[in-house]
């Protein structure tokens, strides 16, 4: 396989596990808008269908632009770890194999990243919008940041405005500078779901310079049967959701002082994740799950009293900790309303 002849602007890692039925849409959207300075790394995570053959076919058809990597199954985090080890690009993005990108928006993203490279601009994180593509739903919902972030300029944390509870920088919104990820030693847990939150969260204290590209880039597909973000699947994997929740909490409590410029946003993100964990435990409907929820919040208080106070007194912290059976019913009613509005499973 030939290597690119010039500098690589962007590495896009596509984690693939039994993705033969849908990965082509993802890969084709990336190839339609990129040139020789964008590499697509297809990481086959021990698939048992035709995923590996499809990846090899793309690598053979697009030498130097597409790389196929085959490994034993290790989970989503392990594919990103491998992709980061192999990345040749100045910038780094993850696009899951059941999602895709808007071609015009991706073209603008790559052009922007090229400009940063030409100017030798040390922009650590580039943000863009993402769209929830719900199976069977005619309308889509887009998460944009135009009221909270400056556009068309490099900015810092002090210029990040107020974000709504539905707005946070998921993996889908982020492009990181590859060197920053390596500087912070990012390594995601293996055999663990929901580590995309860790990817989007752990490097933030090291981010100094950001840029917001106001395009609807990432198409986040939800609704496929058995998908990891489906409610019943998440309830069945609550131990992993709670593990990620705790890792995020410990990271900010132990390494990010309250006067750090990223602290406000990181507590905002953690508030949302804690609300998801709490609500799913309530949806489980068992005494054991309710006890686990109480233990989760108790663990936050024991780790960091100030952080616990901020989270519990927040809007979502209050809503997900209403007392008694009536309070739990109110929480779940609000959750169902959010389900309908957003369209998640």
């Amino acid at each position: 396989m030939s290597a690119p002849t010039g500098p690589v602007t962007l590495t896009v890692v596509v984690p693939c596990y039994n993705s033969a039925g849908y990965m082509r849409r993802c890969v084709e959207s990336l190839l339609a808008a990129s040139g020789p300075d964008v590499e697509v790394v297809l990481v086959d995570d021990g698939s048992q269908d035709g995923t590996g053959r499809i990846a090899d076919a793309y690598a053979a058809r697009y030498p130097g632009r597409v790389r196929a990597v085959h490994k034993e199954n290790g989970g989503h985090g392990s594919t990103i770890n491998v992709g980061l080890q192999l990345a040749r690009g100045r910038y780094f993005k993850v696009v899951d194999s059941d999602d895709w990108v808007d071609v015009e928006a991706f073209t603008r993203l790559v052009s922007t990243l090229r400009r940063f490279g030409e100017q030798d601009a040390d922009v650590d994180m580039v943000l863009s919008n993402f769209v929830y593509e719900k199976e069977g739903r005619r309308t889509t919902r887009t998460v944009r940041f135009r009221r909270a972030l400056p556009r068309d300029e490099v900015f810092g944390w002090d210029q990040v405005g107020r974000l709504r509870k539905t707005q946070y920088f998921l993996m889908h919104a982020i492009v990181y500078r590859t060197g920053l990820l390596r500087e912070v030693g990012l390594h995601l847990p293996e055999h663990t779901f929901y580590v995309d939150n860790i990817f989007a969260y752990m490097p933030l204290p090291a981010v100094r310079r950001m840029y917001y590209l106001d395009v609807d880039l990432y198409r986040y597909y939800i609704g496929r049967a058995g998908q990891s973000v489906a409610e019943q699947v998440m309830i069945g994997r609550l131990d992993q959701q709670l593990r990620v929740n705790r890792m995020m909490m410990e990271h900010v409590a132990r390494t990010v002082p309250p006067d750090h410029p990223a602290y406000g946003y990181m507590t905002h993100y953690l508030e949302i994740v804690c609300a998801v964990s709490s609500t799913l435990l309530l949806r489980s409907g068992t005494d054991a799950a309710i006890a686990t929820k109480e233990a989760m919040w108790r663990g936050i208080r024991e780790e960091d009293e100030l952080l616990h106070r901020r989270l519990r007194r927040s809007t979502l912290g209050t809503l997900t900790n209403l007392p008694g059976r009536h309070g739990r019913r109110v929480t779940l009613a609000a959750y169902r309303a959010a389900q309908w509005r957003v369209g998640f499973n």
Side-chain angles (χ1 to χ4, degrees), residues 129-130 132 140-149 160-170 212 214 216 264-273 275-276 314-317 338 341-342:
N129 311 322
F130 59 94
Y132 287 98
T140 60
R141 181 177 175 276
T142 305
V143 176
R144 299 187 177 98
F145 307 101
R146 57 183 58 153
R147 293 186 179 181
L149 303 178
V160 175
R162 185 177 180 84
L163 291 158
R164 299 191 302 272
K165 300 307 178 187
T166 54
Q167 291 177 306
Y168 54 121
F169 309 148
L170 292 177
Y212 171 48
D214 186 13
D216 300 344
Y265 170 73
M266 295 182 76
T267 56
H268 166 79
Y269 192 155
L270 186 58
E271 174 191 348
I272 296 167
V273 173
V276 171
S314 67
T315 302
L316 292 179
R341 182 171 180 268
V342 176

Side-chain angles (χ1 to χ4, degrees), residues 223-289:
R224 179 169 54 82
Q227 199 171 19
S228 63
V229 293
E231 179 186 279
Q232 290 304 315
V233 175
M234 290 192 73
I235 289 175
R237 295 172 178 160
L238 261 171
D239 60 326
Q240 298 181 56
Q241 167 71 18
L242 293 171
R243 180 188 180 196
V244 168
N245 196 144
R246 182 161 188 86
M247 291 179 68
M248 294 172 68
M249 180 273 292
E250 290 177 346
H251 181 63
V252 68
R254 298 176 182 180
T255 66
V256 186
D259 61 352
H260 191 286
Y263 185 84
Y265 170 73
M266 295 182 76
T267 56
H268 166 79
Y269 192 155
L270 186 58
E271 174 191 348
I272 296 167
V273 173
C274 288
V276 171
S277 299
S278 297
T279 305
L280 289 172
L281 286 164
L282 291 177
R283 283 285 290 137
S284 297
T286 66
D287 291 341

Side-chain angles (χ1 to χ4, degrees), residues 16-20 23 44-45 47 49-56 70:
C16 302
Y17 177 69
N18 290 347
S19 307
M23 63 184 287
D44 171 23
D45 190 34
S47 299
D49 62 357
T51 295
R53 292 190 296 275
I54 294 171
D56 287 339
H70 307 280

Side-chain angles (χ1 to χ4, degrees), residues 40-329:
V40 179
V41 181
L42 306 176
V43 184
D44 171 23
D45 190 34
S47 299
Q48 299 173 351
D49 62 357
T51 295
R53 292 190 296 275
I54 294 171
D56 287 339
Y58 273 113
R61 184 178 176 187
Y62 297 95
R65 293 182 62 191
V66 178
R67 306 165 73 184
V69 180
H70 307 280
K71 56 181 287 299
E72 293 183 2
N73 181 261
H76 193 246
S78 74
T79 64
I80 297 174
N81 292 338
V82 169
L84 183 57
Q85 290 173 359
L86 298 175
R88 297 182 291 223
R90 181 184 180 92
Y91 288 93
F92 185 90
K93 184 164 185 62
V94 180
V95 179
D96 286 335
S97 59
D98 52 355
D99 301 330
W100 65 98
V101 297
D102 178 85
V103 172
E104 182 178 350
F106 191 65
T107 301
R108 286 191 58 188
L109 171 68
V110 174
S111 176
T112 301
L113 298 177
R114 285 186 186 125
R115 175 162 52 88
F116 293 155
E118 292 165 358
Q119 297 172 350
D120 200 26
D122 288 328
V123 176
D124 298 317
M125 181 170 70
V126 178
L127 298 161
S128 57
N129 311 322
F130 59 94
V131 182
Y132 287 98
E133 296 276 358
K134 169 70 173 178
E135 173 70 25
R137 190 166 178 166
R138 293 184 179 180
T139 59
T140 60
R141 181 177 175 276
T142 305
V143 176
R144 299 187 177 98
F145 307 101
R146 57 183 58 153
R147 293 186 179 181
L149 303 178
R151 283 182 275 182
D152 303 321
E153 63 178 277
V154 178
F155 60 92
W157 287 110
D158 60 332
Q159 293 174 268
V160 175
R162 185 177 180 84
L163 291 158
R164 299 191 302 272
K165 300 307 178 187
T166 54
Q167 291 177 306
Y168 54 121
F169 309 148
L170 292 177
M171 181 186 76
H172 321 308
I174 293 175
V175 174
Y176 277 125
R177 183 170 58 83
T178 308
L180 179 135
L181 297 181
R182 289 173 175 160
E183 289 159 15
V184 302
L186 181 70
H187 186 82
L188 303 181
E190 299 193 356
H191 298 291
T192 304
F193 286 88
Y194 317 121
V195 295
D196 52 317
N197 287 299
I198 297 175
F199 176 85
Y201 196 73
M202 299 302 197
L204 293 177
V207 170
R208 296 289 181 269
R209 292 161 57 83
M210 295 174 271
Y211 189 92
Y212 171 48
L213 184 64
D214 186 13
V215 294
D216 300 344
L217 173 68
Y218 195 106
R219 321 304 284 203
Y220 178 24
Y221 180 74
I222 55 176
R224 179 169 54 82
Q227 199 171 19
S228 63
V229 293
E231 179 186 279
Q232 290 304 315
V233 175
M234 290 192 73
I235 289 175
R237 295 172 178 160
L238 261 171
D239 60 326
Q240 298 181 56
Q241 167 71 18
L242 293 171
R243 180 188 180 196
V244 168
N245 196 144
R246 182 161 188 86
M247 291 179 68
M248 294 172 68
M249 180 273 292
E250 290 177 346
H251 181 63
V252 68
R254 298 176 182 180
T255 66
V256 186
D259 61 352
H260 191 286
Y263 185 84
Y265 170 73
M266 295 182 76
T267 56
H268 166 79
Y269 192 155
L270 186 58
E271 174 191 348
I272 296 167
V273 173
C274 288
V276 171
S277 299
S278 297
T279 305
L280 289 172
L281 286 164
L282 291 177
R283 283 285 290 137
S284 297
T286 66
D287 291 341
I290 294 172
T292 299
K293 173 179 170 292
E294 294 172 353
M296 181 191 84
W297 284 98
R298 188 166 58 250
I300 298 173
R301 185 176 64 245
E302 292 170 354
E303 182 70 41
D304 187 326
E305 181 68 37
L306 173 63
L307 178 62
H308 176 267
R309 188 161 58 248
R310 288 189 61 140
L311 295 173
R312 278 297 295 260
R313 292 179 180 177
S314 67
T315 302
L316 292 179
T318 300
L319 181 61
T320 54
N321 285 284
L322 296 173
R325 291 182 180 274
H326 177 70
R328 292 195 287 272
R329 285 196 292 268

